[in-house]
Amino acid sequence: MTLRDITILTGASRGMGLAMARQLLSPSRHLLCISRGTHEALAAEAQRLNAPLTQWAQDLNDTTGAAQRLQAWLANLDANALRSATLINNAGMIPRIGPLDACPPEELSAALRVGLEAPMQLTAAFLRATGAWVATGWQGPRKVLNISSGLGRHALAAQAPYCAAKAGMDHFTRCCALDEAQRPHGARLVSLAPGVIDTDMQVHLRAGDPAEFPDLQRFVELQRQGQLTPPDTAATRVLAWLDRPDFGAQPVADVRD
């Protein structure tokens, strides 16, 4: 029997997420992409490569629904046909730029749900489902890669919700890594900052109101000086981190390390 890897990737419809999805397509890997919408070009590329691809149009604001759906999907897989299992939590969102008290309550809640609660719920579902495989004797590697940000480690005015979500992602990764280290064949987890990438997030930040975003010029200069990493390059670096033999030894890391 030819064993297959499975990879679950959120936020795969654009930017670095879409670049990662394209690079992950392989006949030997079943890729599950979870995004707000499906991507026709990605499906066509998967068909051309004979690469198994499943796409879910799933709103990650529904954190419990997304987690339950993932756990049920994993429970229906034949673990004996799988070589490894990986979850990449890449989805996130930036609410309105400005001080916390200027952020609409619904945008604040959505930023925390998508950026922190959804990764926690999906990680819990992934660990629960794949842990059941381990209990029956499966010993393939299990990995969780959380895409964090330098803004989770360095405060930025006018971006409290996003910074808080990424800081929370870093810390829950540390906690889960400690839990998994106590378990036989525990999963390995890393919260990885991918560097400064030329994505819609940067466009959003550069469009901020200077009166409410004191660091605006910093992001304008990053683009002007050519310091933004193209999504394809960033995706390659992030996925290379997954293949490191010491993946998980440092639960919170930066791709530039």
Side-chain angles (χ1 to χ4, degrees), residues 137-154:
W138 188 79
Q139 297 186 11
R142 297 179 295 144
K143 299 179 182 179
V144 177
L145 177 60
N146 291 322
I147 304 302
S148 183
S149 170
L151 297 185
R153 300 156 202 182
H154 305 284

Side-chain angles (χ1 to χ4, degrees), residues 6 34 41 72 104 108 111 126 143 145 153 164 175 183 192 194 212 226:
I6 59 164
I34 306 174
L108 172 58
F126 176 83
K143 299 179 182 179
L145 177 60
R153 300 156 202 182
C175 295
R183 295 172 171 171
L192 183 68
E212 293 194 327

Side-chain angles (χ1 to χ4, degrees), residues 168-180:
M169 174 178 275
D170 285 350
H171 215 48
F172 99 73
T173 303
R174 291 186 182 100
C175 295
C176 288
L178 292 173
D179 291 335
E180 290 299 304

Side-chain angles (χ1 to χ4, degrees), residues 52-96:
L53 171 67
T54 300
Q55 296 191 78
W56 290 352
Q58 173 70 53
D59 185 357
L60 290 178
N61 272 296
D62 179 12
T63 59
T64 302
Q68 290 174 340
R69 188 178 183 184
L70 176 60
Q71 186 166 340
W73 185 81
L74 289 168
N76 284 326
L77 297 180
D78 178 8
N80 294 322
L82 302 177
R83 180 171 49 196
S84 70
T86 301
L87 169 64
I88 305 175
N89 283 307
N90 170 69
M93 68 168 292
I94 292 185
R96 186 173 307 180

